[in-house]
Every structure is written in structure tokens, then in C-alpha cells.
Amino acid sequence: MQGPVAASPRPRRVFVLGATGTIGSATVRALVARGHEVVCLVRPRAGVGGRLGAQDSARLLPGAALRLGDAGDPASLSRDGFRGERFDALVSCLASRSGAPADAWAVDHRAHVHALRAAREAGAAQVVLLSALCVQKPRLAFQHAKLAFEQALIGSGVDYSIVRPTAFFKSLSGQVERVRQGKPFLLFGDGRLTACKPVSDDDLAAYLAGCLDDPQRRNRVLPIGGPGPAVTPREQGEELFRLLGRPPRFRRVPVALLDAIIGGLSAAGRVLPSAAAKAELARIGRYYATESMLLLDPGTGRYDAAATPETGRETLFDFYARLVRGDEALPQRGDHAVF
Ligand SMILES: NC(=O)c1ccc[n+]([C@@H]2O[C@H](COP(=O)([O-])OP(=O)(O)OC[C@H]3O[C@@H](n4cnc5c(N)ncnc54)[C@H](OP(=O)(O)O)[C@@H]3O)[C@@H](O)[C@H]2O)c1
């Protein structure tokens, strides 16, 4: 939880997309706390699996004005969202919930292209975009979709802050429950193939909100992690067992197994669309099993923990401690539960 925050020196009228998501809802809290006037376009059924009705979304986003509509539909974006009014900035945490190729291109690219146009028509001079650090090594459809919009934004002439965070706490909490139930922690390889500097929802939200006021974050692509040091999956497992007061138990999963699954699903995917979709999800899983969420040094092709910028103070291990004590509920991971 964040302490009191300083008000923005220049409160603005901000249009927010993706407000019902994990980072979007935290970002709305951060914007409201800084004194901005926040207007969000949310779907009538929002949240993981459409579990949030309009009243639930309103409870999730206190202090913000809610408008019901569909950011994926350009007509709704203008009619229900911007409504011909003036805004100073667009902040977008909108992202495909599945990462499946068609959805990623529809949401991470096309919806953003329309939103950028509508925001400019509304007079917005600044755009803050939640992207992802993994686009620095694009291998997956959703990464290409994100990059395509990043390029469109950079080329648009509007002031931008493209924020590329490392891993979120929710994506690193998928094994808390199985370990609590006495099962081993699953590792790819020896559990040291990758590392990341996890960033909390509120720390990332504060960073995103701060982009509106910090000239150093303007017209820049901003890789960002939480407070270091970088942690490996093995260290995550060790900490969980320590917090539970149990001896560590790991089960190693060979990366080759994922390759075999991807191969099988891709072959089946030539005739079965559902298998093709699963193959892409398996490719996403393999990517995160083998690529670090740290800054990539283009010269060496290596990930560089020390060079990965940091923000905030909340650590993943503080979060694990709260989960284990029961002070915090396990985050809803929805479609991302696959990785
Ligand atoms: N997970 C990680 O560790 C990690 C790390 C770095 C970067 N990232 C990036 O962070 C982003 C995900 O952030 P998050 O976890 O906060 O997202 P999230 O919880 O999945 O929320 C996504 C938001 O986008 C909205 N949305 C999705 N599809 C939509 C559609 N078709 N039409 C209208 N709205 C739609 C959702 O609205 P509804 O509530 O109506 O569905 C929700 O508000 C992605 O870009 C990801 O690449 C993730």
C-alpha cells in the first residue's frame, strides 16, 4: 500500500482506457490521488470473465467518472467515451486479456490506433501507454501488435511516455496455492534460466501517473522494474517455502517438453483453429520460461539486471509474505493463468 502522495502541480483532465484491469485500476487510484480529473471508458461487463457489472466497476474506481462502452469499437469510443469533450491526456492500460493473436491485434494495436485519433481530436497533448518490456525481443504476435502501436504513437507527433515494465506480482504468484497445498514448486530447467525485477501494481501505477508531470519521462520509451535485486524462479520458490516454514521441494520441467507440446499443437493447428490458439499460448509460456524480464543489451544480446531501471519500494517477497499470512487475497490471473 502506498502512503500519502503529493498532488500534481498541474492537475489535468485524463481519459483512461483499461481501467478495470490490474494495472489500470491501480493507475486510476494513482491519478485520482494526485488530483487529476479521471474519466474511464469501461465495458458493461468488465473484469476477468466479465465478472464486474457497472456498479462493481464504480466501486473499483472511486473518484473517477465512469462511462459505459467498448474501447474496441471506434463509434463507441467517440459516442460513449470522449463524447466530443476536451481532454488533456490519454492514459492507456488497455491490453488483450488472452494475448491470442487476433485479440492482440484488435486490442493492443487497432483499438489503440482509434483511441489515439479520438484523443487527439479531443485536444489531448499527451499519451501515457502501458506496454511491456518483452517487446524488446519480439517473438510473439501480441508483442508485434504492441510494437506496431508504439511506432504509431511515436510517429504521431503527440507527447508520449511508453512504459515497458518487467513482471507483475500476479504473474509470479501462480504457484503460491499449489505450494501451500504441499505440492512441489515447478521449475523450467534449473530455475535459473530467467530473472526479473518484479514491480508492484501500485508502484507501477505511481510511475505511470508520474509520467504526466515528469519532463524526464516525456517522449521516451521507459523500461522499468521494481526494486532490485533481480530474482530467479528458483529464488521465488525458496522464499515461498521459507515463508511457509517448509523444506524446499522443486520439480524440474524440461523446456524440451514445452517444445514438444508446441510442435504437436502447431501441427494440429493447421487443421484445428482451437489447437492453433493453444499453440500460441504454449509459445507464450515458453517465452516466459526462457527469457528474462530485464533490459536487453543489444550489443551482447544479454539481459542486464544492473542496467534495468527501478521504481518503488514494494518487493515480491513482501507480497508473498502477505499472501502466506492471508493478509492479501491471491490475485485473479484470468487468461494469464497460462503463464
Ligand atoms: N503480466 C505481467 O507480468 C506483465 C509484465 C509486463 C507488462 N505486461 C503488460 O501489461 C498489460 C496487462 O496489464 P494488466 O495485467 O493490468 O491487464 P488486465 O488486468 O488483463 O486488464 C486489461 C484491461 O484491458 C481491457 N480490455 C481487454 N480487452 C478488451 C476489449 N476487447 N475491449 C475493451 N477493453 C478490453 C480490460 O477490460 P475488461 O475488464 O472489460 O476485460 C482491462 O481493463 C499487457 O499489455 C501486458 O503485456 C504484463
Side-chain angles (χ1 to χ4, degrees), residues 17-25 41-50 52 57 69-73 93-98 103 106-108 111 130-135 142 146 163-172 199 204 288 293 332-333 336 339:
L17 289 175
T20 46
T22 305
I23 304 303
S25 55
L41 180 65
V42 305
R43 295 195 276 193
R45 300 268 6 142
V48 174
L52 303 178
S57 295
D70 183 355
D73 170 6
C93 300
L94 178 74
S96 161
R97 280 193 175 272
S98 67
D103 195 51
V107 177
D108 295 58
L130 170 66
S131 182
L133 189 54
C134 61
V135 305
F142 84 85
K146 280 184 185 303
V163 177
R164 291 180 174 176
T166 65
F168 302 165
F169 287 4
K170 71 173 172 182
S171 300
L172 303 171
V199 64
L204 178 56
Y288 290 111
M293 292 304 114
Q332 288 192 337
R333 297 166 66 244
H336 293 280
F339 47 88

Side-chain angles (χ1 to χ4, degrees), residues 71-97:
D73 170 6
S76 174
L77 197 58
S78 302
R79 182 189 61 233
D80 308 316
F82 288 92
R83 294 186 185 166
E85 297 168 8
R86 291 197 68 75
F87 285 89
D88 300 309
L90 167 68
V91 173
S92 180
C93 300
L94 178 74
S96 161
R97 280 193 175 272

